[in-house]
Amino acid sequence: MDILMILFTLLGGITLSAQSSVQGTFSRKAGTIETTFLTMLTGLVFLTIIVIFFGQGNVLGILSAPVWQLSAAFLGTGFLILSVIAVPRIGVIATNVAVISGQLAISMMIDHFGWFDSLVISFDWKRLAAMLFMIIAVFFIYQGNKRSSMEANS
Amino acid sequence: MRYLAYILAVLAGAALSFESAIYGQLGETIGELETSFYNFFMGTLIMGLLWLFFGKGRLSYAMEAPKWSLLGGILGVVYLTAIVISVPFVGVGITMVTVIIGQLIMSMVIEHFGWFGIKQTSINKEKIFAVISMIIALILIN
């Protein structure tokens, strides 16, 4: 069962990459704002159907949820706009590596300070080393992209 | 301009992390699927407004574009649902690592073959080093 779940999650990662590519391509002809809007709209339609059939929670709970929790929607929208902007300019790998680095760096901060009632996990040397490797990764991607574009031009 | 795009992508990741921490809380009170629904609902409203006031592109391109290029939203839902379902089974740590590995491998494949209309750029050793560094970082964090 666990193996099946892990494969399913792997599929989640695969679709995330596919999503950023598909949107990057669409945005070149339709525009950044238009692409993000369309993604949100189609996702909404799709989720409406899913929630109607499989939703076991309480959608109306939104009305009584604390405002700071609801403000996450701006972050979700921000993420989408920023990734739509980045893909056509620096490519899929670079965008994904940079996104993951930002994601992990902030996750470690949230863990360290215990923000949002999360479990406190202190920043230690292993995590510091992980940060260094992420910076190295972004640097390599930058170098690799520079080389590919030079080869393409020559 | 290129530097800026890298910075924007890192910021996007930072936003994603804050978002998932906060939505984790919201999910406990109103349900996971409902939380995703809320995200896309508000997102549609925010983007609808932005589009009305600042949209300079061409939304009608959606009618002529190849149909696969409209699948972004649905792929996003698959990603969100996969995470929501898998966390209770295998935990957040393994879930994130698995998602990221899937994301990195798929990015390499897409760019190498130029799928989905992405400019084809062959994998070179720098990119492979980058992915290996990311995997080392993941092992160190967990």
Side-chain angles (χ1 to χ4, degrees):
Chain A
M1 189 60 201
D2 276 5
I3 290 292
L4 206 69
M5 271 303 144
I6 289 175
L7 286 178
F8 186 56
T9 316
L10 201 64
L11 183 76
I14 290 171
T15 57
L16 193 62
S17 270
Q19 183 194 8
S20 56
S21 317
V22 166
Q23 286 173 341
T25 302
F26 188 75
S27 75
R28 245 179 271 143
K29 291 234 175 85
T32 309
I33 294 178
E34 288 72 14
T35 307
T36 316
F37 177 57
L38 192 83
T39 301
M40 283 293 181
L41 189 69
T42 47
L44 173 68
V45 172
F46 198 58
L47 268 167
T48 307
I49 299 170
I50 295 179
V51 166
I52 288 174
F53 282 97
F54 303 107
Q56 279 154 356
N58 175 20
V59 181
L60 295 177
I62 292 166
L63 299 175
S64 52
V67 174
W68 69 269
Q69 287 182 4
L70 298 180
S71 62
F74 290 95
L75 296 169
T77 313
F79 160 70
L80 216 55
I81 299 180
L82 294 176
S83 59
V84 171
I85 295 175
V87 169
R89 289 180 175 76
I90 57 176
V92 193
I93 304 182
T95 304
N96 277 293
V97 168
V99 163
I100 293 166
S101 303
Q103 204 178 338
L104 291 177
I106 296 295
S107 302
M108 287 193 275
M109 257 167 82
I110 295 177
D111 275 354
H112 182 75
F113 294 108
W115 289 338
F116 313 116
D117 296 329
S118 68
L119 196 69
V120 179
I121 303 171
S122 300
F123 193 76
D124 56 4
W125 67 269
K126 267 170 72 183
R127 292 188 159 209
L128 181 71
M131 284 281 275
L132 290 178
F133 273 107
M134 288 183 326
I135 295 168
I136 293 171
V138 177
F139 174 75
F140 269 130
I141 282 289
Y142 181 73
Q143 288 293 321
N145 267 349
K146 222 165 64 179
R147 203 157 68 97
S148 322
S149 60
M150 260 156 56
E151 276 164 9
N153 290 336
S154 62
Chain B
M1 190 56 216
R2 279 176 70 83
Y3 287 108
L4 194 65
Y6 281 90
I7 294 168
L8 291 180
V10 173
L11 282 179
L16 194 61
S17 210
F18 277 122
E19 181 200 349
S20 43
I22 299 173
Y23 275 157
Q25 298 279 309
L26 188 62
E28 276 173 29
T29 45
I30 69 169
E32 286 88 359
L33 281 175
E34 286 73 13
T35 303
S36 316
F37 171 79
Y38 165 75
N39 179 55
F40 281 86
F41 178 72
M42 272 300 278
T44 306
L45 294 184
I46 296 169
M47 288 320 296
L49 273 178
L50 279 179
W51 172 63
L52 279 177
F53 285 97
F54 304 108
K56 291 198 185 80
R58 210 155 55 88
L59 193 61
S60 60
Y61 175 66
M63 296 299 140
E64 325 149 18
K67 293 303 168 205
W68 58 262
S69 72
L70 305 178
L71 291 177
I74 289 155
L75 292 170
V77 173
V78 173
Y79 158 72
L80 215 56
T81 316
I83 286 189
V84 168
I85 294 177
S86 122
V87 169
F89 283 97
V90 294
V92 183
I94 296 179
T95 303
M96 288 323 287
V97 171
T98 316
V99 165
I100 291 171
I101 291 174
Q103 203 177 337
L104 287 174
I105 294 173
M106 188 62 178
S107 310
M108 293 231 276
V109 174
I110 291 174
E111 217 172 273
H112 186 72
F113 293 105
W115 286 348
F116 305 123
I118 291 296
K119 200 175 93 209
Q120 193 267 335
T121 26
S122 302
I123 290 176
N124 48 30
K125 62 176 189 298
E126 282 91 345
K127 288 179 189 173
I128 292 172
F129 282 148
V131 172
I132 293 172
S133 305
M134 283 309 283
I135 292 171
I136 296 174
L138 283 172
I139 295 168
L140 285 168
I141 288 177
N142 279 278

